[in-house]
Amino acid sequence: MPLPFLTADRAFDTTDHVALPFDDHDQWRRPYRPGSWRVGAAALALLLASFVLLAAVIIVAAGGFAAAGVTLALAVLVILAALRMLRVGTWVSRAGVRRVGFLRTSTVPWAKVTSVRTVQQPVRWLGLPRTVQGQALVLGRQGGEQLLLLTDHNADFLSRVEAFDRAADTVEAWNAEYGVVPATTR
């Protein structure tokens, strides 16, 4: 018994040529899937938050309402941190490229991008202070500034070299489509 509602196949069975929802280039999208390290860390944080919420319920049952409020606030902070951890990464749209960090986000319009290239350089391993030799996708901005977009040793691409190559190629393709074409000199 086929269950078309459980698969993505029915999206391609239509006769009209309407763009699919993910084809909207005006919306911010991540050109890759989050890595297993990032998803695993977020899942562990959510598991910890569930235990903290259980502790808050036990504290309320014991009659410590102030302590339960503090415990509940701690659980909410852990949940928000886990959700933010899942948002971290590089996002692209027609407007530009956005590097979302845990505490800070920076957006560069395509008009201010001078280059997007993959380079060999020391990169941080899982965001820790330890560096290893690896590949990084670097965005060059007007004024000579550089922004590190992706590395092959971060939480999204550790031991997923093919995924890093696909993501780097995708961001470079977005730059080729929406970036400023440099003037040629004769």
Side-chain angles (χ1 to χ4, degrees), residues 48-118:
L48 173 69
S50 70
F51 287 123
V52 173
L53 286 170
L54 180 64
V57 169
I58 292 171
I59 292 171
V60 164
F65 296 107
V70 170
T71 308
L72 180 65
L74 177 66
V76 169
L77 285 176
V78 171
I79 291 169
L80 291 175
L83 293 176
R84 183 64 180 186
M85 195 181 323
L86 290 173
R87 295 276 304 165
V88 168
T90 300
W91 297 74
V92 292
S93 82
R94 189 179 314 225
V97 62
R98 178 176 286 171
R99 175 72 179 123
V100 177
F102 190 74
L103 297 175
R104 185 171 72 121
T105 299
S106 60
T107 303
V108 180
W110 289 119
K112 295 189 178 192
V113 173
T114 58
S115 66
V116 177
R117 64 188 187 286
T118 305

Side-chain angles (χ1 to χ4, degrees), residues 6-179:
L6 295 179
T7 65
D9 294 338
R10 72 181 173 102
F12 301 107
D13 290 341
T14 61
T15 56
D16 54 347
H17 297 294
V18 177
L20 296 174
F22 55 82
D23 283 341
D24 185 11
H25 286 212
D26 291 327
Q27 290 186 352
W28 291 100
R29 72 178 78 206
R30 188 186 336 226
Y32 55 90
R33 292 183 179 157
S36 57
W37 287 90
R38 183 173 312 283
V39 172
L44 286 176
L46 291 173
L47 181 66
L48 173 69
S50 70
F51 287 123
V52 173
L53 286 170
L54 180 64
V57 169
I58 292 171
I59 292 171
V60 164
F65 296 107
V70 170
T71 308
L72 180 65
L74 177 66
V76 169
L77 285 176
V78 171
I79 291 169
L80 291 175
L83 293 176
R84 183 64 180 186
M85 195 181 323
L86 290 173
R87 295 276 304 165
V88 168
T90 300
W91 297 74
V92 292
S93 82
R94 189 179 314 225
V97 62
R98 178 176 286 171
R99 175 72 179 123
V100 177
F102 190 74
L103 297 175
R104 185 171 72 121
T105 299
S106 60
T107 303
V108 180
W110 289 119
K112 295 189 178 192
V113 173
T114 58
S115 66
V116 177
R117 64 188 187 286
T118 305
V119 295
Q120 291 282 332
Q121 68 180 33
V123 295
R124 296 171 70 180
W125 184 77
L126 288 177
L128 299 172
R130 177 181 175 213
T131 59
V132 295
Q133 189 65 28
Q135 292 184 357
L137 184 67
V138 178
L139 177 132
R141 296 189 229 181
Q142 291 176 350
E145 300 174 30
Q146 289 190 342
L147 179 66
L148 184 66
L149 295 178
L150 306 169
T151 68
D152 63 345
H153 284 82
N154 68 6
D156 289 321
F157 300 111
L158 189 64
S159 70
R160 292 179 47 203
V161 178
E162 298 86 17
F164 172 78
D165 292 337
R166 279 193 312 270
D169 290 343
T170 303
V171 174
E172 289 171 354
W174 276 80
N175 181 44
E177 185 172 349
Y178 295 111

